[in-house]
Amino acid sequence: MKMVSVFLVCFFVIGLWNEANATSTIHRHLSSNGLGRTPQMGWNSWNHFGCNIDDNIIRGTADAMVSTGLSKVGYKYVNIDDCWAEQYRDAQGNLVPKTSTFPSGMKALADYVHSKGLKLGIYSDAGSNTCSNTMPGSLGHEEQDARTFASWGIDYLKYDNCNNGGISPQSRYPIMSKALAESGRPIFYSMCEWGDQNPATWAPTIANSWRTTGDIQDKWESITALADQNNQWAAYARPGGWNDPDMLEVGNGNMNTEEYRSHFSIWALMKAPLLIGCDIRSASSETLQIVGNKEVINVNQDLLGVQGKKVSQQGNLEVWAGPLSNNRVAIVLWNRSGWQASITARWTDIGLPYNAVVQARDLWAHKYLPSYLKGSLTSTVASHGCKMYILNRISR
C-alpha cells in the first residue's frame, strides 16, 4: 500500500500534469524570502473601491477581518491598491502618502493593522507612474521605495505594469525583487504584469506570485476565461511562488451564488491567491459563508502545494482535480453550461487506479457521501455551479 501511495502522488505531480521536466527545474528555485509557502490570503481594495480609498476604510476593513472571523480561517493581508500617494515625490525623492486620505501616514496605519494580528500591503508600479496616473511609480526608485516601505512596516507589495516605457518586464521586475530582499524586512512580492512574456516561466526565481492574466471583472465570462488562462501554467506553481489569475470578485454583486461558489472553488483548487475584493465591512452572510468556507480554504492552503487543473471536458462540463497531502485528491465538477447537468469524474482521469475505493467529502455540503465509491463519481450540478469533493482512498 505504501508503494501504491507513493506512486499515486508521483503520478499526480509528474504523470498527470505531463510536464515533468519543467516542474523538476522550477522546483529547484524556491523563493529565498521564506514567504508564500502557501498562497497568500487577504483583501485588496481595488475591485470594490478603485481609487476611492482612505485611512478609515483600511482600518475598518482590518476590524471587519477580525470581527467576521475571516482572520481565523487564514486571511491576513490588508492590501491598499492604487491612488494612496501624492502625485509627486518630496524633495528627497520619497513617496508621500496622500494627506487628504491618509493623514496619519502609513507607519501609523501599519501599526494599527499589526495590532489586529494582520499584515499591511501596499501598491506600486514598475513604471514612471501607476495605472491611475495619480501617483508616481517606482521605476528608477526601487531601492529607495523598498526602504521606505520597510520603514513603514509594510508586509506586501503589489507591483503593477503601467507606464513602463516599453522596457521588458524581465528587466524591470528583478530590480524591485532585489531591492525588497535588501530592505531589511520580509515583504511578500506580488508581480502584477498581466502575464506579459509568460512570467510563470521566469518569475519563480524572483517573486512570490505573478499575474498570469489581465484584470478580472465581476462577470461569468471573465471568471471562466481567466481560469482557462491560468490553467496552462499549473506546473510552475509551488510553495514560495504561485500563479495569480487576479483577485476575488465574490460579493461584489454582479454574479449569482452558484457562480461565486464556482469562482471561489476553482481559485482554491488552482492554488490561486485568495484576496477578497468586496467590502467586507458590509458583506452579506452568504458572501462570508463562501469566502469563509474552511474546507475549501484548506484545499488552497494544502502544504503539498500542487496546483489543480482541468483534467477532462465534455463541452461545457468539466472536471478539475489536484493532489493533496496524505494521498488525497481534490476534485471540482464544474458546469459552465446554461442548464443543469450530470458530470462524472472518472478515476482514470484524476490519477486514481480504476478499481480504487474512496470516501468522498462534499466541501460545500460539509458531509461525506453516504456510500464508498469505485471507479467514478457522478453528481448533478446546477448551471454555472460546481460540486467540490476531497477523495480519500479506503484500504481493503
Side-chain angles (χ1 to χ4, degrees):
M1 176 59 70
K2 183 176 180 181
M3 290 297 293
V4 172
S5 297
V6 171
F7 172 79
L8 177 59
V9 172
C10 290
F11 181 78
F12 259 112
V13 177
I14 300 175
L16 180 61
W17 314 129
N18 195 28
E19 297 179 47
N21 292 334
T23 302
S24 61
T25 299
I26 287 168
H27 280 238
R28 290 198 293 267
H29 298 298
L30 299 183
S31 296
S32 59
N33 64 7
L35 302 175
R37 310 316 297 174
T38 59
Q40 65 267 40
M41 295 178 61
W43 172 89
N44 179 281
S45 61
W46 185 258
N47 284 0
H48 186 85
F49 292 99
C51 278
N52 299 314
I53 54 172
D54 60 31
D55 186 273
N56 289 333
I57 289 173
I58 305 306
R59 289 174 186 255
T61 298
D63 294 342
M65 194 173 284
V66 174
S67 65
T68 58
L70 290 173
S71 62
K72 290 184 178 179
V73 297
Y75 295 94
K76 64 179 180 180
Y77 288 108
V78 179
N79 293 341
I80 305 167
D81 211 283
D82 203 350
C83 311
W84 59 267
E86 297 287 1
Q87 186 172 2
Y88 302 105
R89 294 172 179 271
D90 67 15
Q92 289 72 46
N94 296 309
L95 292 169
V96 180
K98 191 177 294 184
T99 56
S100 61
T101 52
F102 293 94
S104 298
M106 288 301 166
K107 179 63 168 66
L109 181 56
D111 289 345
Y112 184 83
V113 171
H114 293 158
S115 76
K116 300 292 180 178
L118 304 171
K119 296 180 180 296
L120 185 66
I122 210 161
Y123 167 99
S124 190
D125 187 284
S128 57
N129 288 287
T130 63
C131 292
S132 68
N133 282 309
T134 64
M135 57 174 279
S138 292
L139 186 64
H141 294 266
E142 293 87 354
E143 292 184 6
Q144 182 175 17
D145 291 352
R147 289 194 300 269
T148 296
F149 299 150
S151 72
W152 289 342
I154 298 298
D155 304 293
Y156 185 113
L157 174 65
K158 175 183 174 181
Y159 203 43
D160 219 330
N161 194 32
C162 290
N163 300 301
N164 57 50
I167 304 171
S168 166
Q170 295 187 52
S171 297
R172 289 177 288 115
Y173 280 86
I175 300 173
M176 180 57 83
S177 177
K178 183 174 184 291
L180 293 174
E182 296 174 351
S183 70
R185 181 177 181 82
I187 297 177
F188 190 107
Y189 187 31
S190 172
M191 285 175 39
C192 179
E193 51 86 275
W194 325 321
D196 186 21
Q197 297 186 16
N198 304 328
T201 63
W202 51 271
T205 61
I206 64 170
N208 299 113
S209 67
W210 47 87
R211 281 276 293 279
T212 56
T213 69
D215 288 354
I216 197 169
Q217 298 178 56
D218 186 16
K219 61 182 183 180
W220 178 249
E221 295 78 12
S222 176
I223 301 305
T224 56
L226 268 56
D228 288 341
Q229 292 171 37
N230 191 65
N231 180 57
Q232 65 183 309
W233 305 109
Y236 294 87
R238 78 296 184 271
W242 308 101
N243 294 314
D244 179 6
D246 207 1
M247 301 166 290
L248 296 167
E249 290 283 6
V250 180
N252 278 329
N254 287 330
M255 289 189 285
N256 63 39
T257 299
E258 294 290 350
E259 291 167 338
Y260 281 140
R261 283 179 183 160
S262 291
H263 175 22
F264 192 71
S265 298
I266 292 294
W267 259 236
L269 186 79
M270 292 194 299
K271 301 299 189 290
L274 297 181
L275 297 174
I276 299 170
C278 68
D279 186 353
I280 62 175
R281 302 172 304 169
S282 57
S284 68
S285 59
E286 183 177 84
T287 293
L288 294 174
Q289 286 170 5
I290 293 174
V291 300
N293 186 327
K294 183 60 174 173
E295 294 194 70
V296 175
I297 290 170
N298 287 345
V299 171
N300 179 262
Q301 297 289 295
D302 184 77
L303 294 178
L304 185 63
V306 176
Q307 178 175 326
K309 64 182 296 185
K310 189 187 302 186
V311 297
S312 68
Q313 179 178 4
Q314 292 184 322
N316 287 318
L317 309 180
E318 301 180 351
V319 177
W320 294 58
L324 301 176
S325 57
N326 300 318
N327 302 323
R328 299 168 301 148
V329 179
I331 65 171
V332 174
L333 310 182
W334 194 11
N335 181 2
R336 289 162 63 158
S337 76
W339 51 86
Q340 178 177 284
S342 178
I343 303 177
T344 297
R346 293 177 175 81
W347 289 185
T348 52
D349 290 329
I350 62 175
L352 288 169
Y354 74 94
N355 61 350
V357 177
V358 308
Q359 183 181 44
R361 173 78 174 180
D362 186 324
L363 304 191
W364 286 105
H366 303 294
K367 63 182 181 181
Y368 291 99
L369 298 189
S371 302
Y372 291 160
L373 302 171
K374 183 178 180 180
S376 64
L377 184 159
T378 300
S379 185
T380 300
V381 184
S383 170
H384 291 191
C386 76
K387 296 289 183 69
M388 189 171 190
Y389 304 93
I390 288 179
L391 307 182
N392 285 283
R393 192 170 177 187
I394 303 301
S395 299
R396 286 198 167 178

